Amino acid sequence: MLRHSSVVSSQVELHARFGGVVPEIASRAHVELLTPVVARALVEAGISDDHVDAVGATVGPGLVGALLVGVSAAKALALVWDVPFIAVNHLEAHLYACFLEEPGIELPLVVLLVSGGHTMLVLMEGHGRYRLLGSTIDDAAGEAFDKVARYLGLGYPGGPAIDRLAGEGDSSAIAFPRAMRNEGLDFSFSGLKTAVVNEVRKHHDAVTADVAASFQEAVVDVLVTKARRAAREHGAKGLCLAGGVAANSQLRERFLDACVEDGLHGFLPSRAMCTDNAAMVAAAGLWRLRHDGPTPLDAGADPNLGLP
Ligand code: KG4
Ligand code: ZN
């Protein structure tokens, strides 16, 4: 019988007072938190360590220090428990979050993967077969949320803070630019960030909730417009959201509306499956294990790993 658990140990509070992730602190916290997290995962799954079939760990992309801690620990556990080690690509893991809750999703599928480090439109033609249709040429969508929130004094992480405040604001108050909205499938968000700064400098009396709502509206408009164009141009049967920004309330609502209008199957992983989590790493790892077999133990971490 398959037993499972997904334990997430967030470091948000540790980094919040610095306004963003501090790599050295992140690596050290990984060392401290990893053993208790593994122990808790076993308890919550109701198994002992001799019931574990394989150990998967993210090898990239990401911060190299944190990756090395996870990879070293996973290899050590795999050796001790005498089970396979599986290297997992973080981007592929976000894609597999879609299948965790909707195993029957039809392919080809277009996935809008929007996180703190990435903004991508991926055509999934088959399992393990991806085509990158578009990506950001500067900031990632989550990065734009974090930077704008920081500028507005809303703290870290910025996405959830803007999401909350935008609910109280008027999204049509300020017409922020929508860079590259009507051309191609690439994205650009750094001009929007500058536009927010300029707007607040010019209008000191601007209502912060209106700025947040108008900023969010501009990001969501571009994301949804491009995702549906990608699905149309590539004959996708469905459209799926993935990555931390996919937890955004307005993006979720607009995304589903667009899918209904375009007659596409729209898949929205739950918020917990959108932001970084263990279950998505296990899902991608299981597929890789079945497809490629175990990963050799001399494989290392790669901070700049791209989609397979
Ligand atoms: O996928 P994720 O958990 O970690 C990365 O791989 O980056 O994504 C984190 C990003 C952060 O930039 C955070 O601000 C953003 O996702 N985020 C949101 C929301 N929740 C998290 N952005 C907008 N609205 C949200 N509700
Ligand atoms: Zn992520």
Side-chain angles (χ1 to χ4, degrees):
M1 187 178 126
L2 184 67
R3 294 203 188 239
H4 56 259
S5 62
S6 184
V7 177
V8 174
S9 169
S10 169
Q11 294 184 19
V12 161
E13 279 170 29
L14 258 184
H15 300 286
R17 66 195 160 111
F18 302 103
V21 175
V22 183
E24 180 61 21
I25 294 179
S27 316
R28 286 169 190 270
H30 272 66
V31 174
E32 282 166 22
L33 296 166
L34 212 142
T35 309
V37 165
V38 171
R40 208 175 120 201
L42 293 177
V43 170
E44 286 191 13
I47 58 170
S48 60
D49 48 19
D50 53 357
H51 287 101
V52 175
D53 298 307
V55 182
T58 304
V59 292
L63 294 171
V64 71
L67 291 172
L68 280 173
V69 174
V71 170
S72 312
K75 287 178 183 172
L77 288 173
L79 272 175
V80 172
W81 291 340
D82 196 19
V83 294
F85 162 70
I86 319 156
V88 177
N89 179 310
H90 185 70
L91 302 172
E92 187 167 61
H94 272 302
L95 299 181
Y96 270 83
C98 305
F99 293 92
L100 273 170
E101 292 163 319
E102 296 274 358
I105 296 184
E106 277 180 285
L107 301 173
L109 177 76
V110 165
V111 184
L112 172 64
L113 171 48
V114 270
S115 70
H118 294 88
T119 302
M120 309 178 146
L121 278 166
V122 179
L123 177 67
M124 191 165 172
E125 295 169 308
H127 283 272
R129 293 210 340 260
Y130 315 112
R131 251 170 77 192
L132 183 61
L133 304 176
S135 57
T136 180
I137 60 167
D138 41 56
D139 290 354
E143 195 180 350
F145 269 95
D146 293 335
K147 286 178 176 170
V148 165
R150 188 173 180 168
Y151 181 70
L152 296 176
L154 301 177
Y156 168 87
I162 290 191
D163 194 348
R164 263 192 312 275
L165 187 64
E168 300 161 21
D170 173 6
S171 62
S172 62
I174 307 153
F176 282 126
R178 273 95 160 131
M180 300 165 70
R181 182 184 188 274
N182 300 318
E183 50 190 272
L185 295 174
D186 284 333
F187 302 88
S188 164
F189 292 109
S190 89
L192 173 58
K193 180 188 64 192
T194 313
V196 172
V197 173
N198 290 341
E199 176 69 25
V200 175
R201 279 202 188 130
K202 240 191 299 169
H203 304 282
H204 292 290
D205 56 346
V207 179
T208 308
D210 289 351
V211 177
S214 303
F215 160 77
Q216 181 176 272
E217 173 72 28
V219 176
V220 168
D221 180 21
V222 173
L223 291 177
V224 172
T225 302
K226 297 224 175 198
R228 63 203 295 192
R229 185 186 305 142
R232 195 172 57 237
E233 286 177 1
H234 293 274
K237 295 200 169 127
L239 202 51
C240 184
L241 272 184
V245 182
N248 184 267
S249 321
Q250 203 197 354
L251 177 59
R252 296 172 79 84
E253 207 181 299
R254 288 290 170 78
F255 176 85
L256 281 185
D257 289 348
C259 289
V260 170
E261 258 178 51
D262 294 357
L264 287 165
H265 293 290
F267 301 104
L268 271 183
S270 62
R271 281 183 166 81
M273 289 300 120
C274 290
T275 47
D276 289 351
N277 65 84
M280 70 181 197
V281 177
L286 179 59
W287 188 81
R288 279 286 153 200
L289 179 63
R290 286 181 176 152
H291 189 259
D292 300 341
T295 305
L297 288 180
D298 58 359
D302 180 355
N304 302 313
L305 195 64
L307 256 187

